């Protein structure tokens, strides 16, 4: 049985409360400093979510990457932190996580002159597909997890795209549970995104990574990275955006820093 199969079996066979081993806690403490900052009840809840995630998501190592418990748990913990307080399965549409040792080659398509499609090979640290696949480079996952203050976390980024795509469109608007929530989201994020894109165009400094100016989906993914890694700055400088993300994720990361 491969390493994912073994881990899955452990989570399936044992009562969830006792299954989370000390060595797994040690992996999370070592790889994900954010984990150590979580209140105890969130850590407990995260363990349960990780169990649900690992039993429903197939992990595969690519380009000869030999998967380990540590890799699977480090990815799962970060993915699950985003949806720790959401109802239902962590990622109902997700089937597979493919892990590469380092940045992998992907084909990007863009529209050229006269509507022609230009294909080019690009190096990627992560990708999220609407068919329920997330692809990640392990060294980038590690870097993103270890540095919790730089606002860059490829795992948060790609799983934010998965959350965004739950309603069928990866468009920067995730599933919101009322018309009023949608109206507020559209107004607040629309206004912040517009100001942000203007600053990026003028070459001004921004809290969010300028990559978020690519389109609304990237804006949401980058805002998510910032929300979890620079929460205090975001709350201070853009309280409206912080509050929307706080309501959506049902988390207050600023209180962990
Ligand atoms: Zn993206």
């Amino acid at each position: 049985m491969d390493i994912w199969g073994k881990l899955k079996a452990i989570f399936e066979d044992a009562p969830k409360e006792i299954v989370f081993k000390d060595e797994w806690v040690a992996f999370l403490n070592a790889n994900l400093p954010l984990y150590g900052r979580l209140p105890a009840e969130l850590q407990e809840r995260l363990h349960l979510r990780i169990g649900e995630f690992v039993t429903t998501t197939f992990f595969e190592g690519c380009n000869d990457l030999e998967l380990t418990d540590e890799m699977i748990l480090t990815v799962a913990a970060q993915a699950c932190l985003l949806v720790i307080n959401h109802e239902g399965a962590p990622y109902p549409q997700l089937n597979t996580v493919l892990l590469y040792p380092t940045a992998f080659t992907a084909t990007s398509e863009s529209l050229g002159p006269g509507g022609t499609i230009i294909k080019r090979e690009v190096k990627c640290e992560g990708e999220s597909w609407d068919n329920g696949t997330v692809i990640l480079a392990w060294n980038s996952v590690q870097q993103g997890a270890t540095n919790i203050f730089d606002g860059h976390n490829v795992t948060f980024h790609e799983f934010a795209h998965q959350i965004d795509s739950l309603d069928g469109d990866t468009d920067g608007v995730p599933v919101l549970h009322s018309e009023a929530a949608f109206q507020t989201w559209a107004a607040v994020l629309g206004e912040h995104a517009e100001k942000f894109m203007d600053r990026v165009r003028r070459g001004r400094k921004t809290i969010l990574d300028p990559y978020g100016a690519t389109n609304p989906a990237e804006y949401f993914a980058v805002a998510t990275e910032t929300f979890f890694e620079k929460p205090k700055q975001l709350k201070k400088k853009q309280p409206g955006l912080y509050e929307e993300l706080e309501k959506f994720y049902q988390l207050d990361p600023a209180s962990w820093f």
Side-chain angles (χ1 to χ4, degrees):
M1 202 190 286
D2 64 19
I3 194 76
W4 169 70
K6 283 183 192 156
L7 200 54
K8 176 174 182 266
I10 295 174
F11 278 118
E12 279 172 346
D13 290 349
K16 282 177 178 166
E17 293 74 24
I18 59 154
V19 74
F20 215 85
K21 297 182 182 182
D22 290 347
E23 63 179 276
W24 298 346
V25 170
F27 290 150
L28 295 186
N29 275 320
N31 286 351
L32 187 62
L34 204 51
Y35 170 81
R37 291 170 177 261
L38 299 178
E41 74 269 14
L42 272 187
Q43 288 182 339
E44 287 296 318
R45 191 161 166 74
L46 189 62
H47 299 166
L48 295 178
R49 294 301 253 170
I50 290 170
E52 291 168 19
F53 187 91
V54 172
T55 48
T56 54
T57 311
F58 174 69
F59 276 79
E60 193 179 327
C62 303
N63 277 5
D64 296 328
L65 180 71
E66 207 60 59
L67 285 183
T68 62
D69 288 354
E70 181 184 4
M71 291 174 189
I72 294 173
L73 293 168
T74 302
V75 170
Q78 294 175 88
C80 290
L81 183 58
L82 301 191
V83 293
I84 193 166
N85 283 333
H86 285 184
E87 296 286 325
Y91 289 88
Q93 287 172 13
L94 183 73
N95 312 305
T96 307
V97 172
L98 302 178
L99 213 52
Y100 283 78
T102 55
F104 50 91
T105 307
T107 310
S108 100
E109 292 186 354
S110 57
L111 222 47
T116 52
I117 296 195
I118 301 170
K119 288 191 179 185
R120 58 194 180 94
E121 306 261 279
V122 284
K123 281 281 177 197
C124 279
E125 295 179 8
E127 277 197 340
S128 166
W129 295 357
D130 293 348
N131 70 354
T133 303
V134 167
I135 312 175
L136 294 164
W138 169 241
N139 68 338
S140 302
V141 168
Q142 271 185 309
Q143 280 163 22
T146 311
N147 189 334
I148 56 170
F149 303 109
D150 66 353
H152 288 290
N153 184 307
V154 69
T155 315
F156 290 160
H157 184 104
E158 301 309 334
F159 281 94
H161 284 318
Q162 282 293 311
I163 292 169
D164 184 3
S165 67
L166 269 178
D167 60 359
D169 292 309
T170 314
D171 57 359
V173 185
V175 176
L176 298 160
H177 291 290
S178 70
E179 182 57 28
F182 172 77
Q183 295 294 349
T184 314
W185 179 276
V188 173
L189 270 86
E191 189 195 327
H192 281 83
E194 206 170 299
K195 280 187 191 155
F196 165 72
M197 286 173 194
D198 185 53
R199 285 184 74 86
V200 171
R201 266 194 298 273
R202 291 188 288 129
R204 303 280 297 277
K205 213 169 157 237
T206 51
I207 307 175
L208 271 63
D209 184 332
Y211 182 66
T214 311
N215 58 44
E218 296 307 340
Y219 181 75
F220 172 61
V222 165
T224 295
E225 290 177 82
T226 312
F227 177 68
F228 283 96
E229 293 213 337
K230 292 181 174 178
K232 286 204 147 166
Q233 283 150 278
L234 189 66
K235 192 172 186 173
K236 191 167 166 219
K237 298 265 174 153
Q238 299 182 28
L241 175 60
Y242 186 90
E243 195 187 323
E244 276 308 293
L245 293 169
E246 184 181 11
K247 277 191 286 183
F248 177 70
Y249 285 113
Q250 300 166 49
L251 290 168
D252 180 17
S255 66
W256 310 337
F257 282 78

